[in-house]
Amino acid sequence: MTSHGRREGSTERSVARGAGTSGAAILLSRITGLLRDQVMAVCFGAGFATDAFNVAFRIPNLLRDLLAEGSMTRSLVRTFTDYDRNRGAEEAWELGRQLMTVLLTVLAGLVLLGWAFTPQIVRLMAGGFEKVPDLLGGYSKLGLTELLTRVMLPFLPAVVLAAVAMGMLNARERYGVSQLASAVLNVGMVVVGLGLIPVAHALGQPAILAMAVGVLVGGCLQFAYQLPPLHRLGFRLRWRWPRRDSGVRKVAWLMIPATVSSAGWQINTVVNTIIASHLQQGSVSWLYYALRLQQLPVGVLGVSFGMVAMTKQAYAMAEADVERFKETLESTLRLMIVATLPATAWLIALSQPIVALLFEHGRFGPGDTVQTAGALVMYGLGVPAAAGVNVMVGAFYALDAPWLAVKASVVSVVVNLVLNLLFVGPLAFLGLGHRGLALAAAVAASVNLLQLLFYIRRRVGRFGGRRVLDSALRAGAASAIAGLAGAGVIALLDGWWHRGFV
């Protein structure tokens, strides 16, 4: 074996090990997230209360995804590794403290603005709720959404601080610890939420309000959980008055394109929510549950591979080692493809049994299973692309070329919007309904990935694209066979999954 081949194999094993550690932690986090969604489905079903909760939760969650786990984490990892390598650990930790101070100050003001303009924000996100005449606990659907939004808005500063802690841990290659923090969020939400339901009843408030309080407490626990491991690494949490700092400015500068590029998927989700609020009641919840299931393989595989690869690519570019950067990219894409294509096949083939097993209990009925599974099939088509975008976007930040990812994101948003309008307008005769919104998101993700591959090829040259394509063809063929076999077995079982948990 040549030295290049040995180094490439070593790179692939290194990425696989890091992604395995991170992926195991993310898997546990996603499982606790599914348990959280199961609790919601059993207790509240898919309708009035869950539609209101999902829209209200999406508002701070959207900002979290835009400002924290995507853009800020990537920007911090890139800057922190540079400080850690070239200026020393204490300078890197001080960067983290300064960033926490600035973000907490800014986000506290943002929460106050959110409280002041909650009615306008909710009407923008879910204007269709105004047409629902029903009441729950004395609240209209729109009024309940406003109440839950006000309760959950302070969740934003808590999880953004948690994302800063996560970024520092990832930069030090402590992937498992940082990713387990999300599991703490989910467990805190469920335990606190369920515990407060009797209190909500005693106060004459809807039970769903207790789950909103659980979200807020869970976000605080997610941040607190990461402080002990950071302390062991040398970080000390201290208040720092905001000051002009070149590191914070660099993170902020990188966050601008990072936020815009991450906004593609988030804007698509918001557009889907707005349109779904005008469709059949339950559409918002069906799409939410389906998206959560689609995000299981995307999160476990795409996020873990993307974060590990970006950290290694950031160090490679800090040493001006372009060849190691390209080897890491190729290895990561091949591993990601081999992992996501089988997941896609099984997610599509087993959509109804999966949804029934996880959610068809309590107030979540067989009709909800069928509707959610229909959206899951469409979302499932975009699993490899969504995971691939996570990997590719990180590569552009390691290259200090994030604006190329922005261009791809803008195009994907336009594609999603056009397809949404077609599926609820001229193509409404197809009868896709909320499933058309999920299909549009999958197509938009695929368009985004193709653009990123084109731009990275122009930026760094050849990076083993033929080997990546070969892996895709082989894994795709095997996955198709497995998926068809699974679909055939499911067809013979004639809906047994509606007949009870066992």
Side-chain angles (χ1 to χ4, degrees):
M1 181 183 291
T2 65
S3 60
H4 173 77
R6 284 194 296 270
R7 190 165 79 161
E8 183 179 313
S10 174
T11 299
E12 190 164 306
R13 287 191 296 272
S14 177
V15 171
R17 281 196 300 269
T21 301
S22 176
I26 293 175
L27 178 60
L28 179 59
S29 170
R30 298 292 175 168
I31 289 173
T32 58
L34 286 176
L35 290 174
R36 181 191 78 191
D37 293 336
Q38 281 183 298
V39 169
M40 292 292 296
V42 170
C43 295
F44 303 102
F48 191 107
T50 48
D51 279 358
F53 179 89
N54 289 330
V55 169
F57 188 32
R58 187 158 287 161
I59 292 169
N61 217 32
L62 170 68
L63 294 172
R64 188 268 305 260
D65 290 341
L66 287 176
L67 299 176
E69 292 189 355
S71 60
M72 197 278 299
T73 301
R74 290 189 181 104
S75 304
L76 177 58
V77 167
R78 180 68 180 90
T79 309
F80 189 96
T81 53
D82 179 56
Y83 269 52
D84 198 26
R85 176 63 58 91
N86 300 312
R87 302 192 187 189
E90 187 50 42
E91 283 288 317
W93 295 131
E94 181 61 23
L95 168 65
R97 285 188 286 267
Q98 279 291 318
L99 187 59
M100 284 184 177
T101 298
V102 171
L103 286 171
L104 184 59
T105 304
V106 171
L107 293 173
L110 195 59
V111 169
L112 293 175
L113 283 174
W115 281 338
F117 294 99
T118 296
Q120 291 81 4
I121 295 171
V122 169
R123 281 170 174 77
L124 176 64
M125 289 286 291
F129 286 1
E130 288 186 287
K131 302 174 183 177
V132 179
D134 303 332
L135 296 176
L136 178 65
Y139 292 96
S140 67
K141 195 170 186 178
L142 204 63
L144 180 60
T145 307
E146 291 175 8
L147 171 66
L148 298 177
T149 299
R150 287 194 170 99
V151 171
M152 287 190 278
L153 272 174
F155 167 77
L156 177 61
V159 291
V160 170
L161 291 179
V164 176
M166 180 184 296
M168 291 189 289
L169 287 168
N170 285 339
R172 285 298 188 93
E173 301 191 71
R174 299 299 196 275
Y175 306 111
V177 173
S178 64
Q179 297 297 346
L180 279 174
S182 296
V184 175
L185 164 65
N186 294 324
V187 172
M189 173 186 166
V190 170
V191 172
V192 173
L194 291 178
L196 290 178
I197 285 179
V199 178
H201 285 313
L203 295 174
Q205 296 294 322
I208 196 73
L209 179 61
M211 304 308 293
V213 176
V215 168
L216 179 58
V217 175
C220 296
L221 292 175
Q222 183 183 16
F223 174 56
Y225 167 80
Q226 297 179 88
L227 292 178
L230 276 173
H231 189 275
R232 288 192 292 271
L233 290 172
F235 176 75
R236 299 294 180 266
L237 180 63
R238 304 187 187 100
W239 174 262
R240 289 287 189 264
W241 289 105
R243 60 179 174 83
R244 294 179 65 85
D245 182 88
S246 60
V248 173
R249 287 201 304 272
K250 183 176 181 181
V251 173
W253 179 249
L254 287 174
M255 276 183 66
I256 296 172
T259 300
V260 176
S261 63
S262 299
W265 180 261
Q266 304 307 326
I267 292 173
N268 292 344
T269 302
V270 170
V271 170
N272 288 2
T273 301
I274 293 172
I275 296 175
S277 74
H278 293 271
L279 300 179
Q280 180 182 355
Q281 179 154 289
S283 294
V284 171
S285 296
W286 297 328
L287 285 170
Y288 172 81
Y289 289 127
L291 184 60
R292 291 286 295 168
L293 290 172
Q294 187 250 25
Q295 288 295 302
L296 179 61
V298 171
V300 173
L301 301 171
V303 173
S304 58
F305 279 125
M307 183 52 65
V308 173
M310 182 188 169
T311 303
K312 295 183 180 300
Q313 288 166 336
Y315 277 113
M317 295 312 298
E319 298 170 358
D321 191 344
V322 178
E323 287 304 314
R324 181 150 60 95
F325 172 92
K326 292 196 289 186
E327 288 170 8
T328 302
L329 179 61
E330 180 200 335
S331 299
T332 305
L333 287 174
R334 291 174 66 187
L335 289 167
M336 185 272 299
I337 286 169
V338 170
T340 56
L341 286 178
T344 300
W346 284 102
L347 200 63
I348 293 172
L350 303 178
S351 58
Q352 285 204 29
I354 289 172
V355 173
L357 173 66
L358 294 174
F359 302 130
E360 195 177 307
H361 316 288
R363 297 187 178 184
F364 195 100
D368 296 318
T369 292
V370 173
Q371 298 284 13
T372 303
L376 178 58
V377 169
M378 300 304 182
Y379 274 134
L381 295 172
V383 166
V389 168
N390 271 292
V391 172
M392 295 300 301
V393 167
F396 284 101
Y397 294 104
L399 287 171
D400 282 336
W403 288 105
L404 291 173
V406 170
K407 291 172 64 177
S409 179
V410 170
V411 173
S412 73
V413 169
V414 174
V415 169
N416 181 75
L417 178 59
V418 170
L419 288 176
N420 277 334
L421 295 176
L422 286 174
F423 286 134
V424 299
L427 298 181
F429 68 89
L430 296 175
L432 292 176
H434 68 290
R435 293 172 298 164
L437 307 183
L439 177 58
V443 173
S446 301
V447 170
N448 197 352
L449 177 60
L450 290 174
Q451 293 175 89
L452 293 173
L453 290 170
F454 173 75
Y455 291 141
I456 203 77
R457 175 81 159 62
R458 290 179 57 184
R459 184 80 180 190
V460 301
R462 296 179 182 274
F463 60 91
R466 289 185 179 180
R467 288 188 291 272
V468 172
L469 180 60
D470 180 66
S471 296
L473 293 175
R474 291 172 182 269
S479 301
I481 294 171
L484 289 172
V489 172
I490 291 301
L492 294 175
L493 294 176
D494 192 27
W496 60 269
W497 49 85
H498 292 304
R499 299 170 191 161
F501 184 81
V502 176

